[in-house]
Amino acid sequence: MNADTSNNDIVLSVQQVAFSAALVASGEVTLVPSNRDVTMIFKHVVTNIGNAYNPQTGVFTAPVRGAYHFEWHIGDVEGPTAAALVKNSERVFSAYASLAPGLYGTSSESATLQLDAGDVVSVNQWSGHKIYDNVNHHVTFSGHLLFTM
């Protein structure tokens, strides 16, 4: 294998970045309102090609410079629910829903971001809002590399 082929193999392996995770692995959880935004930790990892998503911290770290696409879905019972996609500590877009008593509802968003290697992306629960998930995995965070730059 010559040097050019070896380098191409390395680039191809880095280009394979995709993850999808749900908030809970089993049971159910309600993330209670906090007085500050909190990074959500999605523990039920279904796919983590390239290992760029850290299920211990809830943070995705871009391994290469490129365009990445992310989606997140949130939900709650009886009240407002909200979470934001955060890039390097800055809110990018938010998902929000306000629910009538006795109803379960969800909200979803997506975004394509240009990231440099080392940039971090997470989904943060808004202060003062609840989020509920169970084994049906309504609350999820997914992303993948579209192309390198």
Side-chain angles (χ1 to χ4, degrees), residues 44-125:
H44 180 66
V45 179
V46 177
T47 304
N48 197 7
I49 299 166
N51 293 314
Y53 174 74
N54 184 332
Q56 306 303 315
T57 63
V59 175
F60 172 86
T61 303
V64 295
R65 185 172 191 262
Y68 293 81
H69 185 77
F70 297 95
E71 297 177 3
W72 67 106
H73 309 269
I74 58 168
D76 191 30
V77 179
E78 297 185 10
T81 183
L85 187 72
V86 175
K87 173 188 171 188
N88 297 332
S89 301
E90 183 177 325
R91 279 188 188 178
V92 179
F93 292 125
S94 298
Y96 173 86
S98 184
L99 312 165
L103 298 178
Y104 179 84
T106 62
S107 181
S108 303
E109 282 290 346
S110 65
T112 299
L113 303 177
Q114 180 178 327
L115 302 177
D116 290 322
D119 281 348
V120 293
V121 176
S122 63
V123 174
N124 288 14
Q125 174 187 4

